[in-house]
Amino acid sequence: MPELPEVETICRQLDKKLAGLKIISVRVLRSGRETPRGQRFVAALVGKTVQRIERRAKLLIFRFVDRSALVVHLKMTGRLVFIKPNYTPTRHDRILFEFRSGVRLAWSDVRQFGFMRLVKARDLEALIAAYGPEPLSASDAELADRLRAPKTRRIKATLLDQTVIAGVGNIYADEALHRAGLRPTRRLASLSRAECARLAHTLKQVLAEAIERRGTSANDYVDARGQRGTFSNFLRVYGRAGAACPACATPIKKIVVAQRGTHFCPVCQT
DNA sequence: ATATGCACCTGTGTGC
DNA sequence: TGCACACAGGTGCATA
């Protein structure tokens, strides 16, 4: 589900409520392939105190005061939602956390693609280093340069590559390309410096706007308070195949690029 | 180097 | 109504 803006939204809400709190209980309800199972994980986590919660790429990082960290990837359908003490677990809940002061959190994941890993400070650094720069921290020039580097690749595939730029997923790749007036299938070698700069700019713009609206709920996504993101109402192409382009009223087309559904306006995007 | 296919899972929507 | 199939905010690996 979540891309950078959704993970950022959840991150801010978690940090606000959980920073400084100690974990007092952990209940593993469903352990899948990527779910920590058993007593070791629980025993290691109980008693740790959250220093703060950060986001890097699409990862949520619970940093503990002992310098270890819990790294979470929600993948397609993962959720982290605050729950009430009388909450009844659903079949998709994987782990329930209780913090001091009674705050509780549920991690659920319908498709079970997501993971949680408890790592030491060293391993965390290595994990984080593998990603490209954060688009909202990097300059337009740096982003444009990185986007231009793999010359023969399609621009959409490059946007989705987490080692080029971190945090961009299918929705915001399509939205940024529409705003920049670029076809997702364009090869990078064909992009002018100005076009790359334009794309870097629209990418940052669309990510920032989506964060302000607490993300996009195309389907299941909800934030940590269980609320849907409202950027869904401002999408220009994603999920709008056949509907009118907001700029020129031409019907939006849907094709497959880099194995992903890809939406674009055949007139505005060249 | 890049693209493609498939795998990991479950749920939902579509068309017959 | 039932059933088969395509597809879904992500990523990783094996093969062309």
Side-chain angles (χ1 to χ4, degrees), chain A residues 31-96:
Chain A
S31 51
R33 203 171 45 92
E34 289 278 13
T35 312
R37 59 169 70 233
Q39 297 309 306
R40 273 212 357 242
F41 178 72
V42 173
L45 225 43
V46 171
K48 286 188 189 285
T49 300
V50 178
Q51 185 178 60
R52 62 180 184 277
I53 296 159
E54 298 171 357
R55 179 193 60 75
R56 173 78 170 101
K58 297 170 194 168
L59 296 173
L60 278 165
I61 301 162
F62 290 65
R63 284 192 187 266
F64 300 114
V65 295
D66 68 4
R67 306 195 45 80
S68 66
L70 181 67
V71 179
V72 185
H73 199 311
L74 298 170
K75 294 283 182 82
M76 297 283 265
T77 53
R79 292 179 170 185
L80 279 171
V81 181
F82 292 116
I83 52 174
K84 302 225 164 84
N86 61 357
Y87 173 81
T88 309
T90 74
R91 54 186 305 213
H92 299 304
D93 287 341
R94 296 170 71 166
I95 298 183
L96 305 184

Side-chain angles (χ1 to χ4, degrees), chain A residues 40-188:
Chain A
R40 273 212 357 242
F41 178 72
V42 173
L45 225 43
V46 171
K48 286 188 189 285
T49 300
V50 178
Q51 185 178 60
R52 62 180 184 277
I53 296 159
E54 298 171 357
R55 179 193 60 75
R56 173 78 170 101
K58 297 170 194 168
L59 296 173
L60 278 165
I61 301 162
F62 290 65
R63 284 192 187 266
F64 300 114
V65 295
D66 68 4
R67 306 195 45 80
S68 66
L70 181 67
V71 179
V72 185
H73 199 311
L74 298 170
K75 294 283 182 82
M76 297 283 265
T77 53
R79 292 179 170 185
L80 279 171
V81 181
F82 292 116
I83 52 174
K84 302 225 164 84
N86 61 357
Y87 173 81
T88 309
T90 74
R91 54 186 305 213
H92 299 304
D93 287 341
R94 296 170 71 166
I95 298 183
L96 305 184
F97 298 88
E98 184 182 350
F99 296 82
R100 188 186 282 163
S101 87
V103 181
R104 288 159 200 251
L105 189 69
W107 176 41
S108 73
D109 189 356
V110 169
R111 293 175 74 179
Q112 303 188 84
F113 288 167
F115 64 77
M116 276 194 184
R117 281 177 207 148
L118 185 56
V119 297
K120 297 192 190 344
R122 257 189 127 73
D123 302 326
L124 178 63
E125 295 321 309
L127 201 65
I128 285 176
Y131 289 93
E134 285 294 323
L136 291 176
S137 309
S139 66
D140 284 13
E142 184 188 358
L143 294 181
D145 284 350
R146 291 189 68 89
L147 283 171
R148 258 162 90 79
K151 295 193 184 338
T152 65
R153 226 174 163 189
R154 292 197 156 106
I155 182 62
K156 166 123 181 193
T158 309
L159 280 171
L160 293 177
D161 185 336
Q162 301 299 296
T163 68
V164 176
I165 294 174
V168 184
N170 208 30
I171 295 178
Y172 300 108
D174 283 4
E175 292 297 312
L177 285 167
H178 180 267
R179 290 179 180 217
L182 299 170
R183 287 246 178 168
T185 48
R186 284 274 293 277
R187 305 276 171 182
L188 292 170

